[in-house]
Amino acid sequence: MRYKTLLIAGATCATLSLPVIAFAQSKVDVGKREFEAKCAVCHGKDGKGVGPYAEQLKSKLPDLTTMAKRNGGVFPVSRTFELIEGAGKGHGTRDMPVWGLDYTVQAEQLMPELPYNQAAYVRTRINALVEYLIKIQEK
């Protein structure tokens, strides 16, 4: 019985890892695609805070290419992840959508039979965005 459980668990992990491995080996920049699909409408394709929707918001958007510079030269990984996810202190009334919730709904639609893997899906998408934001930082 124990062997069968381990075999099923191993096969499940291997199957769930295939899309991640495919992303890692592809030339597609997943973070850039996510940014262009979800963020650029407000933050602009260049991340400077002047997207087509930006002027309709209550406050001026920050330049996302200077996040590290504004943080003493260190990119604020955890704070950025929490802000994108929306479950941190910023949860509640805010202009920025709660992307963690959006990704969770997306995961439910894509993987209804694998509800335990939805958190991994959400983390992967947000981490791809964070990695892209690190790449576009001004030197």
Side-chain angles (χ1 to χ4, degrees):
M1 180 74 169
R2 185 177 187 160
Y3 175 76
K4 185 177 179 181
T5 303
L6 288 173
L7 185 62
I8 291 171
T12 302
C13 287
T15 302
L16 294 174
S17 298
L18 290 176
V20 174
I21 292 168
F23 270 140
Q25 293 176 345
S26 74
K27 301 289 183 202
V28 175
D29 186 336
V30 178
K32 182 177 182 178
R33 282 181 48 186
E34 286 297 314
F35 185 85
E36 290 174 351
K38 306 245 186 240
C39 311
V41 69
C42 292
H43 293 283
K45 276 191 132 184
D46 61 359
K48 299 274 185 192
V50 289
Y53 191 71
E55 62 187 42
Q56 297 177 27
L57 298 175
K58 297 173 190 168
S59 56
K60 185 176 187 261
L61 294 171
D63 180 345
L64 299 180
T65 67
T66 61
M67 293 172 71
K69 183 190 278 186
R70 290 180 279 129
N71 194 48
V74 178
F75 188 86
V77 174
S78 296
R79 191 170 63 219
T80 303
F81 184 98
E82 289 171 1
L83 187 64
I84 294 169
E85 182 186 34
K89 288 192 329 188
H91 191 67
T93 58
R94 61 189 237 158
D95 288 331
M96 189 166 135
V98 178
W99 291 115
L101 178 60
D102 185 67
Y103 286 133
T104 301
V105 170
Q106 194 175 25
E108 289 172 1
Q109 293 168 348
L110 294 172
M111 303 177 289
E113 69 282 354
L114 301 173
Y116 56 86
N117 196 39
Q118 292 169 359
Y121 178 87
V122 172
R123 280 193 309 274
T124 301
R125 301 303 279 261
I126 295 173
N127 281 331
L129 271 170
V130 171
E131 182 181 342
Y132 178 70
L133 290 172
I134 292 169
K135 289 179 187 176
I136 65 169
Q137 294 303 293
E138 289 182 0
K139 303 292 180 215

